[in-house]
Amino acid sequence: MVTYFVRRLLLMLLTLFGISVIIFALLRIVPGNVVDILFDAAGFVDAADKAKIEADLGLDKPIPVQYAAWISGLAHGDLGYSYVSEKPALEEILPRIPITARLAGMALAFSILFGVPLGVLSAVKQNTALDYVLRLVSLSGLSMPAFWLGLLLLMAFVATTGMIPIYSQAPKSFWDSLLMYSVPAAAVGFRSSALIMRLTRSSMLEVLRQDYIRTARSKGASENSINYRHALRNAMLPVVTVIGIEAAFLIGGLIVTETVFNIPGIARFLVEAIRLRDYPIVQNLVMFIAVIVVAVNFAVDILYAALDPRIRYSN
Amino acid sequence: MQSEEYAAELSRAGANVGGRWSAALFLARRYPLGAIGAAIMLVFVFAALFAKFITFHDPLATHAAQSLAPPSAVYWMGADNFGRDVYSRIVYGARISLAVGIGATALGCLFGVALGLLSGYLMGWVDLLIQRVIDILQALPLLVLALVMAAALGPSLRNTIIAIAIPLIPYVARVLRANTLALRELPFVEAARAIGMSDLRIALRHVLPNTLAPLIVLATAQLGSAILTEASLSFLGLGVPEPYPSWGRMLSESAAEYVHTAPWLVIFPGIAISLAVFGTNLLGDAVRDLLDPRQRT
């Protein structure tokens, strides 16, 4: 177990190092840097000014030197300065994290609350009308872009209450924030719940075919006891392992949903920073996202190995 | 392999199959949802191919007087803020969606197959290296990697295809590698090696054709996510640039303003995206059931 843990940890660090190199290189092959964009907006270019700003931002140094500066900064907790606002990147990013975390948490809760029970129901009632309806709903959930679902929810909200649940100022009370976040959380969560529903259903069906379920049935255990006490526990194991995939899936939904609802979280901030070529923000945010995804996957791997010894030995 | 499985599936079901048409009819009856998916995709392919003949307005022509005109006999799905016909833009948009979807899937599969075959067949340090690259690509959410790629390459139709294809590579490479690892131990590969066939020839002539079934399953599943990712990129303003009519861009940020005043600008492009992805998903599920019975749910 310890060797497995250490090996996975080293692989994780290697992956993160690879990501940092790729992201850094990708951002540097972009045609035009932030200085070009700022000058474009101003409408004139003064070569001397441009060179001076580039030197100030360190953009004139060779790329490996820039990379080394970034990484050593990261190690000291110095993330550099946003090119656009000229504030420390850390100051720009940190206050936005709780906003996105709250939205993601609510979306995840939504998706598990709906996805798992409906997936079980769909499996238990396999090939009935209910199963077909649930499968169709989950498939359409996966087919709808999260931003469109968000727009539709906006539309329904405006039509019924006359209110637009778009983020305009920070919510004051707990209920305010619950109201503010619940509509976008539902927009993101619906897609994720569709994914969880499908996975739960297929995992549940797999387990229901096993011998020990037949044994339980022949002992005369009731259907409910078989489905919920014997099958569900084992069926949840593979569902837990896809939480890693789920995390990546959720981030994609957050990016477009924060944009629709004008929520000032990190996901929308990433898109803005990419548009403005604000390298320090983009590279740190992408690294942050990668760390989250990789860490979640790492935790899931370790958890899975702890729960299922076969994994450790076969690898 | 593929046709064998297909024939086996037919005979397993006890079908009395004469010609090609009755086979298609049989499959449609056995996989009704898949048939619906195929029909939806056919409609979109038809729209993309014959866009010129089924629309009555230039999708790019602006008419200030018709700005935000509601749906009518002339503008079936209304007009946008520039007075462009929404129906025409959606029909022409099918070209963009399909071009990017199919292009990105094909490109992603091409590189994924090459990497997966190399990794699984050669093993050793090549395998280790490729595995790490795949880990790195897969550690970033699809949309995040596509966003950074799209920004790095600059906005164009070709670059959007590349930006979406690259995040798809690891998924294909993983499946191909696993299949190749299993296949290379089988007697027929050993036999091919025994008669002195070159590695390249074995990999291409014997291993690759036998991975076709899972590859087709994967490709149909990825077509949907490629179309969805294009819509998301264009929605965020980093996908297919003007003047191409893209469904995602029709819904771009300004759409939130029209939720109240011009809902047709929000509803119709969204239906087009959802329907296209829904069609590929239905088709993908049926193809998986047909070609890969082990994964059947």
Side-chain angles (χ1 to χ4, degrees), chain B:
Chain B
M1 178 77 183
Q2 179 203 0
S3 60
E4 267 171 41
E5 289 239 5
Y6 166 77
E9 178 72 19
L10 291 185
S11 61
R12 202 161 48 235
N16 183 12
V17 208
R20 190 163 293 184
W21 282 108
S22 52
L25 203 66
F26 167 79
L27 280 176
R29 224 175 270 149
R30 187 162 162 74
Y31 300 101
L33 290 179
I36 295 172
I40 293 173
M41 289 324 286
L42 279 179
V43 169
F44 279 110
V45 171
F46 180 84
L49 289 178
F50 302 106
K52 216 173 168 183
F53 304 103
I54 56 172
T55 57
F56 312 102
H57 300 276
D58 183 339
L60 306 180
T62 56
H63 306 279
Q66 297 296 331
S67 175
L68 299 180
S72 64
V74 184
Y75 295 109
W76 294 353
M77 298 182 185
D80 65 9
N81 53 335
F82 294 111
R84 295 177 297 196
D85 178 32
V86 172
Y87 168 71
S88 305
R89 291 179 66 75
I90 285 182
V91 170
Y92 277 90
R95 289 188 174 173
I96 302 303
S97 256
L98 289 179
V100 174
I102 295 172
T105 306
L107 198 65
C109 283
L110 191 72
F111 283 99
V113 165
L115 284 180
L117 262 185
L118 268 176
S119 182
Y121 196 80
L122 292 179
M123 306 206 292
W125 66 269
V126 178
D127 182 32
L128 270 178
L129 189 74
I130 293 177
Q131 287 266 81
R132 293 291 79 77
V133 173
I134 289 173
D135 276 353
I136 290 168
L137 286 179
Q138 227 171 7
L140 286 172
L142 204 159
L143 188 57
V144 173
L145 188 53
L147 266 176
V148 176
M149 281 281 173
L153 297 166
S156 78
L157 186 61
R158 190 198 65 188
N159 289 348
T160 305
I161 292 176
I162 298 174
I164 298 172
I166 288 174
L168 295 180
I169 293 174
Y171 301 92
V172 182
R174 287 231 149 142
V175 170
L176 249 286
R177 174 176 178 272
N179 273 289
T180 308
L181 278 178
L183 283 167
R184 73 193 303 279
E185 304 303 330
L186 292 183
F188 75 94
V189 173
E190 214 175 311
R193 210 174 293 137
I195 61 171
M197 246 187 197
S198 73
D199 278 346
L200 184 70
R201 203 178 139 102
I202 296 174
L204 292 181
R205 290 292 301 272
H206 293 281
V207 177
L208 185 60
N210 281 299
T211 59
L212 220 52
L215 189 62
I216 291 170
V217 172
L218 201 64
T220 19
Q222 291 199 333
L223 183 58
S225 55
I227 293 176
L228 213 50
T229 309
E230 185 275 320
S232 303
L233 282 182
S234 298
F235 170 76
L236 296 171
L238 287 158
V240 180
E242 297 277 2
Y244 302 106
S246 150
W247 296 337
R249 193 152 33 69
M250 292 171 78
L251 282 170
S252 72
E253 282 151 285
S254 58
E257 294 168 26
Y258 299 121
V259 157
H260 202 43
T261 51
W264 55 90
L265 290 184
V266 176
I267 292 174
F268 294 115
I271 291 179
I273 301 168
S274 306
L275 210 57
V277 179
F278 188 61
T280 59
N281 281 346
L282 282 179
L283 192 63
D285 277 7
V287 169
R288 184 196 56 202
D289 287 352
L290 179 65
L291 294 179
D292 199 352
R294 275 165 310 166
Q295 283 189 33
R296 188 174 292 167
T297 51

